[in-house]
Amino acid sequence: VQYDNHYTNTKYCLCQMLREQLESPQGRLLHAAQSSREICEAFGLGAFYEETTQELDAQRAKLSARTSEETGEPAEDTSGVIKMAVKFDRRAYPAQITPKMCLLEWCRREKLAQPVYETVQRPLDRLFSSIVTVAEQKYQSTLWDKSKKLAEQAAAIVCLRSQGLPEGRLGEESPSLHKRKREAPDQDPGGPRAQELAQPGELCKKPFVALGSGEESPLEGW
């Protein structure tokens, strides 16, 4: 009953234990039982069944109320931390772009202090959880990760998504992530400015060079 075991398995195990006692009045009650409640009543545990099932129902109600994690919507708990159930999947992002980089660039663009990450490890399973603080607001993923780096990336995703900001995912349309570096029409395509790489603070911008036909093409290898 405590672990919500199916009554048919419980009944089978008890029948194997009782063996010759199945012909007793208690054994006949067990043999006729069609639910966990009836099995408990056969052994004089009706009150135990009622108390335990009430506790389990209360736990189910508490879990079902956590709709913010189930829907993926941000929620703020009593400690003031905005939380979402997200994880960082490296395969969903370009090789040179991560949520942490995009969050850092956004903070620099908005003239905010650099994001601060606080990461802890859970002794039981050695998993990590990180909280990032941006503009005095804390953000955290409710899902624990296997490394400190992954946990920090997940915290950055929570911050970016709660603010409606791009996080650099593949196929994500955002001027800040794919802004092209335009040159003057009379500039030499092979000149030093055309070969200039992105400056610090433009980590999520992809540099482009101007071609003779007026088309633009990304720098090879970037």
Side-chain angles (χ1 to χ4, degrees), residues 96-97 101 104-106 108-109 176-177 179 181 196-207 222:
Q96 302 298 327
I97 297 177
M101 295 166 62
L104 177 61
E105 181 188 8
W106 178 77
R108 288 174 173 172
R109 199 163 57 243
S176 64
L177 295 176
K179 184 177 180 180
K181 193 179 184 70
E196 183 180 356
L197 298 179
Q199 296 297 320
E202 297 181 341
L203 298 176
C204 292
K205 297 179 181 178
K206 184 184 295 183
W222 184 262

Side-chain angles (χ1 to χ4, degrees), residues 103-154:
L103 180 58
L104 177 61
E105 181 188 8
W106 178 77
C107 289
R108 288 174 173 172
R109 199 163 57 243
E110 298 297 318
K111 295 180 172 53
L112 299 175
Q114 180 172 319
V116 177
Y117 295 86
E118 303 171 62
T119 307
V120 296
Q121 184 179 36
R122 190 163 58 188
L124 180 63
D125 50 18
R126 304 184 67 82
L127 294 178
F128 294 84
S129 179
S130 183
I131 296 178
V132 62
T133 302
V134 177
E136 301 183 359
Q137 175 62 60
K138 298 180 181 294
Y139 304 86
Q140 179 186 24
S141 172
T142 57
L143 304 180
W144 292 67
D145 258 304
K146 59 184 179 181
S147 74
K148 177 181 177 182
K149 291 182 178 179
L150 291 175
E152 291 179 349
Q153 296 287 4

Side-chain angles (χ1 to χ4, degrees), residues 217-222:
S217 173
L219 290 178
E220 292 293 329
W222 184 262

Side-chain angles (χ1 to χ4, degrees), residues 25-134:
Q26 187 181 60
R28 285 194 291 269
L29 287 173
L30 171 63
H31 194 271
Q34 296 297 313
S35 66
S36 294
R37 179 195 298 272
E38 293 179 0
I39 293 175
C40 287
E41 291 174 349
F43 289 87
L45 296 172
F48 165 80
Y49 176 84
E50 294 295 339
E51 179 182 345
T52 304
T53 52
Q54 287 178 9
E55 292 177 357
L56 292 176
D57 289 342
Q59 292 179 15
R60 291 190 187 98
K62 184 177 180 180
L63 289 173
S64 63
R66 297 168 63 180
T67 54
S68 62
E69 291 188 10
E70 295 171 0
T71 60
E73 294 297 324
E76 184 173 344
D77 64 9
T78 55
S79 63
V81 182
I82 293 178
K83 299 182 179 182
M84 293 175 63
V86 299
K87 277 198 172 189
F88 171 69
D89 185 354
R90 173 74 267 185
R91 297 169 297 179
Y93 298 82
Q96 302 298 327
I97 297 177
T98 65
K100 284 184 65 176
M101 295 166 62
C102 294
L103 180 58
L104 177 61
E105 181 188 8
W106 178 77
C107 289
R108 288 174 173 172
R109 199 163 57 243
E110 298 297 318
K111 295 180 172 53
L112 299 175
Q114 180 172 319
V116 177
Y117 295 86
E118 303 171 62
T119 307
V120 296
Q121 184 179 36
R122 190 163 58 188
L124 180 63
D125 50 18
R126 304 184 67 82
L127 294 178
F128 294 84
S129 179
S130 183
I131 296 178
V132 62
T133 302
V134 177

